[in-house]
Amino acid sequence: MTHITIYKSSDTKRNVGFMSAGHSGYADEGSDIICSAISLLTFNTVNSVEKFTDDKFEVSVNEDEASLYFLVTSEISEKTQVLLDALELGLVTLAKGNPDYLLIIVKEV
């Protein structure tokens, strides 16, 4: 199962980052459409924040653990907020249809 932690600001309750870890187990590696969807959503969000905003962030990837960590370290622009909200929407929608393969946890930071 893939575990996603969505980080929300304790002050504003708005999204400020996320951590994705683990393989969903839906299918064999290379054929797992749940893992592919999660990877597409999360990596596209990171790439979009980098390309379309000037916001500062921390990012790290660990291929052995199938993990991606992303946290905005500057004041969040409206563009980044929309991108993180869109990520949350996509992941929550995916999790609702696949509860055995994706778990989402919200954590205040």
Side-chain angles (χ1 to χ4, degrees), residues 9 16 19 21 26 56 69 72 89 94-95 98 101:
S9 166
V16 295
M19 170 77 154
Y26 180 82
K56 304 296 182 218
Y69 170 80
V72 177
L89 175 63
L94 185 61
N98 300 280
Y101 305 103

Side-chain angles (χ1 to χ4, degrees), residues 7-108:
Y7 300 117
K8 295 197 180 255
S9 166
S10 57
D11 296 337
T12 64
K13 309 298 185 215
R14 304 286 310 262
N15 293 327
V16 295
F18 64 90
M19 170 77 154
S20 173
H23 291 286
S24 74
Y26 180 82
D28 292 335
E29 191 173 328
S31 300
D32 192 325
I33 60 173
I34 304 300
C35 274
S36 294
I38 293 166
S39 293
L40 178 69
L41 287 166
T42 56
F43 279 97
N44 187 65
T45 299
V46 172
N47 291 337
S48 295
V49 170
E50 182 175 38
K51 180 161 180 77
F52 299 123
T53 78
D54 294 323
D55 293 2
K56 304 296 182 218
F57 57 88
E58 294 176 11
V59 64
S60 64
V61 176
N62 184 321
E63 290 185 26
D64 293 334
E65 296 176 3
S67 68
L68 171 61
Y69 170 80
F70 174 87
L71 186 68
V72 177
T73 57
S74 64
E75 188 169 331
I76 296 180
S77 67
E78 189 60 34
K79 285 181 182 179
T80 295
Q81 195 63 70
V82 169
L83 290 166
L84 289 173
D85 290 348
L87 171 66
E88 181 179 25
L89 175 63
L91 291 171
V92 167
T93 301
L94 185 61
K96 283 182 182 176
N98 300 280
D100 294 336
Y101 305 103
L102 176 58
L103 175 67
I104 298 176
I105 301 160
V106 175
K107 181 178 179 182
E108 288 187 8

